[in-house]
Amino acid sequence: MDDQTRIELEAAAFRRLQLHLMQDRTDVQNIDMMNLAGFCRNCLSRWYQEAANERGIDMTKDEGREAFYGMPYDQWRDQFQTEANDTQKAEFKKAFAENVEAKK
């Protein structure tokens, strides 16, 4: 497989993942994704922003989130996010430390 085809397939898979998370499974909470998988929608939006910045495209955290979520993050949060319980919050602290802070 040539590089261009590989890039196009990877981009298509990313777009399908994004669609799945943003339309098909809005019930899945970011905190649960982070606790189970070590990443969430916010991570994906950050990776998108970082990739843009690495290529000389000036993109803020909020702009990256809006590009990934398809709407301002506050709007997404208000529409789909539920309040985390104490167990989820404790698990998140551990997952965030292992998967985000440890990689800085």
Side-chain angles (χ1 to χ4, degrees):
M1 178 183 312
D2 64 85
D3 283 345
Q4 184 59 38
T5 301
R6 179 186 52 77
I7 290 167
E8 290 170 9
L9 294 175
E10 290 169 352
F14 174 82
R15 287 189 298 270
R16 185 60 188 99
L17 172 63
Q18 183 182 25
L19 179 71
H20 181 73
L21 293 173
M22 304 317 296
Q23 292 183 12
D24 301 339
R25 293 305 310 264
T26 56
D27 60 314
V28 176
Q29 297 297 301
N30 279 340
I31 195 165
D32 293 325
M33 289 177 61
M34 188 68 178
N35 292 347
L36 292 171
F39 78 98
C40 66
R41 292 173 185 89
N42 289 335
C43 296
L44 290 164
S45 71
R46 187 183 77 245
W47 298 337
Y48 186 93
Q49 174 208 1
E50 289 170 356
N53 293 161
E54 288 169 5
R55 286 158 182 79
I57 300 167
D58 189 32
M59 182 178 288
T60 66
K61 177 180 175 179
D62 288 338
E63 290 168 338
R65 282 185 171 181
E66 188 164 346
F68 185 82
Y69 281 84
M71 65 180 72
Y73 176 68
D74 291 346
Q75 183 180 343
W76 166 268
R77 187 188 61 229
D78 293 346
Q79 190 171 353
F80 297 108
Q81 202 162 293
T82 61
E83 184 65 33
N85 63 42
D86 290 340
T87 301
Q88 289 171 311
K89 291 176 183 177
E91 290 175 4
F92 177 79
K93 280 183 82 170
K94 182 180 179 216
F96 189 84
E98 291 173 355
N99 295 291
V100 178
E101 289 178 345
K103 299 204 173 23
K104 286 183 180 179

